Amino acid sequence: MSVGLKLLAKAKTYLYMHEKTHNSVLKNLLNLNPAKIAWCARFINSLLEEMNIQGTNSNLARSFLKMKNAKKVVSPKKGDIVIFKRGLPWQGHVSIFIRETPTHVYCLGGNQANSVCIKAYQKRKVIGYRRL
């Protein structure tokens, strides 16, 4: 099983956990209060830490664009990390790729609707894919 698929499997163990309803579980994983701070990047980094893989050590989603042990790819595979633009040039969102349609990518991630869930994002907002 690829590292990306292992990352996706680990993320699925937190599926449907909400930052308020499951605050203590997520707080323990993230080492921060998810109800008070954006946590998509921290979610991915925490999962990587549990897998003994060096992440970005940053709470910024766009930090994954510069992740040292990840390969930049053009065509994503299940389990790849997806980085999206959002808001100001330093802002973004990061999630784990599941599948795509001609216009959208479906990703599992943290801080999506204040929870760990699967959500569709417009492809035009993707600024990078990374493979572990």
Side-chain angles (χ1 to χ4, degrees), residues 84 103-105 120-126 129:
F84 301 93
T103 58
H104 288 80
V105 290
Y121 292 92
Q122 295 175 338
K123 278 188 174 179
R124 65 180 178 82
K125 295 194 174 197
V126 173
Y129 299 108

Side-chain angles (χ1 to χ4, degrees), residues 49-119:
E49 286 171 19
E50 284 189 351
M51 296 170 64
N52 293 315
I53 296 172
Q54 177 67 44
T56 67
N57 200 29
S58 173
N59 289 341
L60 295 177
R62 289 189 185 216
S63 67
F64 285 88
L65 290 169
K66 297 177 182 175
M67 189 174 176
K68 292 180 179 163
N69 56 337
K71 179 183 175 188
K72 181 179 179 178
V73 293
V74 177
S75 299
K77 289 185 179 178
K78 198 172 192 177
D80 285 348
I81 295 171
V82 187
I83 306 99
F84 301 93
K85 62 181 173 181
R86 179 185 67 83
L88 299 171
W90 61 269
Q91 293 176 312
H93 181 67
V94 63
S95 199
I96 304 166
F97 180 84
I98 296 177
R99 67 180 182 90
E100 65 185 320
T101 67
T103 58
H104 288 80
V105 290
Y106 288 78
C107 300
L108 189 157
N111 204 23
Q112 299 183 163
N114 301 322
S115 64
V116 178
C117 68
I118 297 169
K119 188 174 175 185

Side-chain angles (χ1 to χ4, degrees), residues 19 22-34 36:
E19 65 186 31
H22 304 94
N23 186 272
S24 61
V25 174
L26 291 172
K27 200 181 218 181
N28 186 50
L29 171 70
L30 305 169
N31 292 315
L32 58 78
N33 185 343
K36 305 243 183 231

